[in-house]
Amino acid sequence: MLFLAKISGLKTPVTALLLIFWTALAFAQAGRPKAAQDTAQGKRINIIYGGNFTKDEALRPGASIFSKDTRQVQFEHQGADLWCDYALLYQKENRLEAIGNVRLKQGDSIVMTGGFLEYDGNSKQAKAFEKVRLTNRSSVLTTDTLLFDRESQEAFYEHHGKIVDSVNTLTSRVGRYYLGPKKYQFQDSVRIQNPDYVLESTRLDYYTVSKNAYMYGPSRVTGEDYMMYCERGFYDTRAEQGYGIRNTEIHYNNRIIEGDSVYFDKATAFASATNNIVVTDTLNNGVIRAHYAEVHREKDSVFATRRAVSISLVEQDSLYMHGDTLMVTGKPDARILRAYHNAKFYKTDLSGKCDSIHFSQATGITQLLKRPILWNLENQMTGDTIYLLSDMETDKLDSLKVLGNAFIISEDTVGLRGYNQAKGKDLFGKFRENELKTVDLIANTEVLYYMYDDDQQLVGIDKTVCSKIRLELDQSEIQEITFFTNPDGTLYPEEDLPEGQQKLEGFIWRGPERIRSREDLFDADDNNLVLPRIRGVNQPMDQQESEPETEDLPAAKARRPKPRPRPSAP
């Protein structure tokens, strides 16, 4: 049997049956202790406007059925109001099913709408279906199915959702919204769409007030002229500023920056990195490795320190250059590389060291400044300043200039009796296939040379002075000597060379210092570096009630370390 009544709040008359129903419920409540009655009454879903009322125990056992008339049905529960076209209220279970144009409002700021909603008054959980929309003051969430837990103040979806705020549009397959801290927690196929960039991630927390994103899985930010990838990091979506602290790389102005911690700021056109850094020049195939680096886009420059080394390909061989500090400046076709304070370089057939190195890509000239020394095969060359010149067409090593106090020394590898030596004011050399073949010594030249016959027997020791000397070399051994302008020399039997005359004035053998491998580029200070700890790498994912303070975050911006003190050159 079907019963029908008209209800409009407390003032609407009801049928006798409905009065009997409420009276029976009251007697049932009267049998409970007062505390239990108060608790039950506080959790009860209240009818504000019932519209049309029916009951159908055959189809809807235990349900009070309400439908709208001139206005929607309305219910209230512990600070939240609900409107709909049609409702099934199960008083005994204290739950509600709302159908058609459902609207749930909590306080002044939270509104959830949908086509259908299930609400449990005991757990204060609402589950909405069909074009669900959750609106607050700072964002709008839309999805097909949404669970809203009013007790914990959390909303959850797992079948794709979209959030729109004043800055970004965010989508993901799974999402959770924490109303207290105004934080979204996204998982699976996360995407932030902004007019200036796109952020994609597998796991991301987003705060709707600050617009800050915290990434906890493989993530990629792609802007107009940059790309940042990381597996853990932070991004300010308004300022386009952020950092990564796990497997991070930034593609920036024809360079790729990788490191344990990498920071990026679009506004200042600046990026920096700390610990285990690799900066790759994608146009020139050059690489810089270090433990701290900065990239300034507007200046087109790279600054690197802390075990810094530059690696470039020269004639199918890697050239390594090291210094306390490395600086690369200039456009891609005119790079200038500077290494200063204890600068060194190494290549399979060429190495050297000095206080500082200056290399210009535009001219192909490498300058070794302040106490330079150069080794090519077995030849040691020193002077006040050394220049290495490359052929601009072939990029091969072409020639050598040693200006001021030029000195070339090689060990006597045949008889192991001493050192072949030549000196002069300046030295000019020519390379063929990276091997020094011709050496011209100019002004105030001297030579001391161990001469052998075809049977490798010592003929004598030639000691000559003249205005100019030309040496023809092969595999570092002197094949021919030409003297110019009034040579004055003597070929001494070994036993007749005066005591103390086996070495030319200014002779210093620095063989123990020779750089024979790339590992020799680094001294004890380089090899015993204590790297700064990158905070946040091993911390759990962000589960805080509110957004972390800046000082609690991993280093938001790498700081340039102080230079190491160096003793003054003698």
Side-chain angles (χ1 to χ4, degrees), residues 161-180:
K162 180 172 75 171
I163 294 86
V164 178
D165 64 17
S166 60
V167 176
N168 302 303
T169 298
L170 305 94
T171 57
S172 70
R173 192 183 72 80
V174 178
R176 186 180 297 273
Y177 179 48
Y178 299 86
L179 277 70

Side-chain angles (χ1 to χ4, degrees), residues 38-53:
D38 292 342
T39 301
Q41 187 66 31
K43 287 186 176 181
R44 187 182 307 284
I45 299 171
N46 299 314
I47 306 168
I48 303 300
Y49 185 80
N52 298 311
F53 169 77

Side-chain angles (χ1 to χ4, degrees), residues 215-360:
M215 299 164 282
Y216 295 97
S219 305
R220 184 186 305 271
V221 185
T222 306
E224 182 180 355
D225 51 12
Y226 68 91
M227 189 282 287
M228 181 175 81
Y229 172 87
C230 69
E231 294 177 8
R232 188 156 189 172
F234 162 83
Y235 197 72
D236 184 331
T237 67
R238 287 187 291 196
E240 291 188 72
Q241 175 191 93
Y243 60 84
I245 55 173
R246 182 176 293 165
N247 295 331
T248 304
E249 64 180 54
I250 294 178
H251 294 237
Y252 190 50
N253 203 30
N254 301 315
R255 290 188 174 96
I256 300 173
I257 309 157
E258 303 169 78
D260 290 355
S261 175
V262 182
Y263 169 84
F264 168 76
D265 185 356
K266 179 183 178 181
T268 58
F270 172 82
S272 64
T274 302
N275 293 0
N276 300 305
I277 299 153
V278 179
V279 181
T280 303
D281 186 331
T282 58
L283 292 182
N284 294 300
N285 297 319
V287 172
I288 291 178
R289 295 182 180 271
H291 290 301
Y292 178 79
E294 296 176 358
V295 177
H296 300 263
R297 182 181 178 192
E298 298 302 324
K299 298 178 181 178
D300 211 332
S301 68
V302 177
F303 167 93
T305 188
R306 298 177 70 85
R307 211 173 189 270
V309 60
S310 166
I311 308 168
S312 56
L313 189 64
V314 178
E315 300 179 63
Q316 307 304 311
D317 191 8
S318 293
L319 173 64
Y320 299 84
M321 192 176 297
H322 165 71
D324 282 0
T325 300
L326 296 181
M327 182 77 76
V328 181
T329 57
K331 298 300 179 182
D333 57 348
R335 298 275 196 232
I336 293 177
L337 171 63
R338 298 177 179 88
Y340 45 94
H341 302 313
N342 195 29
K344 305 173 186 176
F345 70 92
Y346 168 77
K347 189 170 168 288
T348 303
D349 46 22
L350 192 70
S351 63
K353 61 188 294 188
C354 56
D355 181 72
S356 59
I357 299 172
H358 182 286
F359 168 71
S360 170

Side-chain angles (χ1 to χ4, degrees), residues 18 42 88 109 154 179 222 266 348 433 481 485 510 521:
L18 189 57
L88 304 175
S109 59
E154 297 176 13
L179 277 70
T222 306
K266 179 183 178 181
T348 303
E433 302 301 325
I481 303 177
T485 314
R510 297 171 64 181
L521 294 170

Side-chain angles (χ1 to χ4, degrees), residues 534-550:
I534 304 300
R535 291 181 290 128
V537 174
N538 297 318
Q539 294 175 357
M541 292 183 180
D542 176 26
Q543 299 289 347
Q544 302 184 52
E545 291 298 322
S546 59
E547 185 171 358
E549 298 292 336
T550 303

